[in-house]
Amino acid sequence: MTIRVRRVAAACALGAALTACGAPSAPHASRPAPSAPTAVSSRPPTLAPGPAGLTPVFKNGPRVDGKTVALTFDADMTADQGPRAAAGEHFDNPRLIATLRTLKVPATVFMTGRWADEYPAEARAIGRDPQFEIANHSYSHYAFTGDCYGLPTVPPDRMKADVERAYSAFKKAGVPNAMPYFRFPGGCYDRQALKTLSAVGVTAVQWDVVSGDAFARDSDAVAQQVLEGVKPGSVVVMHCTRSAAPATEKAVRMIVPELRKKGYRFVKVSELIGATDRHH
């Protein structure tokens, strides 16, 4: 994998499209990412560090372990979108979460800390439901590289604090065990970002199927794009944001039964990463 990576298809402007621009707010005091879940569960699987100790990057699971697929949902909200939420814009999507529960689909939600601050009860409910896992999508949803679809950027000396601030926001909302996985805003990263985040101990999670649900209103088109792209071990990127991804819930209701007819089993990202680690 090349170091300067932009693993995003045209629809991945989605990451940037779902944000509003503004200067990053000052981070809270750094707090380390949560370690293992407590009680009887073991530490979530992660990938070994890459060359020179860089943060490892995960794109998809093994293609040979049967038909598994992970649906992932980015819960995007930037640090400066509070006024829009106060004016009535909905950055959450409770109906989508309810549909996933009804369909019994495990899923991984990549959440920004700002989203958890805005919707603490929803973050807590998702995080305490064993059907789901919450992973880190930064606090502010600002880019970790320059030239990332017009996103404002987090300077290198603030990257680690931004990720840790998101974990602090999850903890404040009552999320018991956020996963040690991180998704770069916009999907953009470079060697500097991977080096800087190595101290946090996360696995960076990308994807191999872009749903195209950002601002889409044609649920059929979103569903078709996913169904045509999924392979065994795929990671699908979608969104949990009502105002910016209004077609997603209906698309999921079409995607799930069709993939099950094809013999696919839905899993969380942690299961795919665990299978990848076993293969290595």
Side-chain angles (χ1 to χ4, degrees), residues 13 31 47 71 73 94 121 124 148 199 202 210 217 221 229 238 258:
R31 187 178 299 180
L47 298 184
L71 298 186
F73 298 87
R124 181 167 57 253
C148 182
V202 293
V210 177
R217 298 194 173 275
M238 306 183 82
E258 287 302 313

Side-chain angles (χ1 to χ4, degrees), residues 191-208:
R191 184 184 182 89
Q192 176 67 63
L194 295 179
K195 182 178 180 180
T196 300
L197 294 190
S198 63
V200 185
V202 293
T203 293
V205 177
Q206 297 287 92
W207 54 83
D208 66 322

